[in-house]
Amino acid sequence: MLNFKFSALSALYAANVLDGGRKIEEVPEVIRPQVQKILDTAKNDDAGKQQA
């Protein structure tokens, strides 16, 4: 669960990276840290679900 605020654009880029449409290197540098934080959170959530 995402418990922090982020822009809609960051969410769209993160979804695109997760779907394989883009690489994190292709995300504009201005929002890359926000996108990386979303991706890290998503990765941690997936790891927790797989262990349960």
Side-chain angles (χ1 to χ4, degrees), residues 15-31:
N16 202 253
V17 170
L18 286 171
D19 290 342
R22 285 188 189 267
K23 297 178 184 174
I24 190 66
E25 295 83 15
E26 297 173 320
V27 174
E29 285 194 40
V30 174
I31 61 169

Side-chain angles (χ1 to χ4, degrees), residues 28-43:
E29 285 194 40
V30 174
I31 61 169
R32 195 176 298 164
Q34 289 180 339
V35 172
Q36 188 62 57
K37 186 174 181 182
I38 295 169
L39 295 174
D40 292 343
T41 302
K43 186 173 78 172

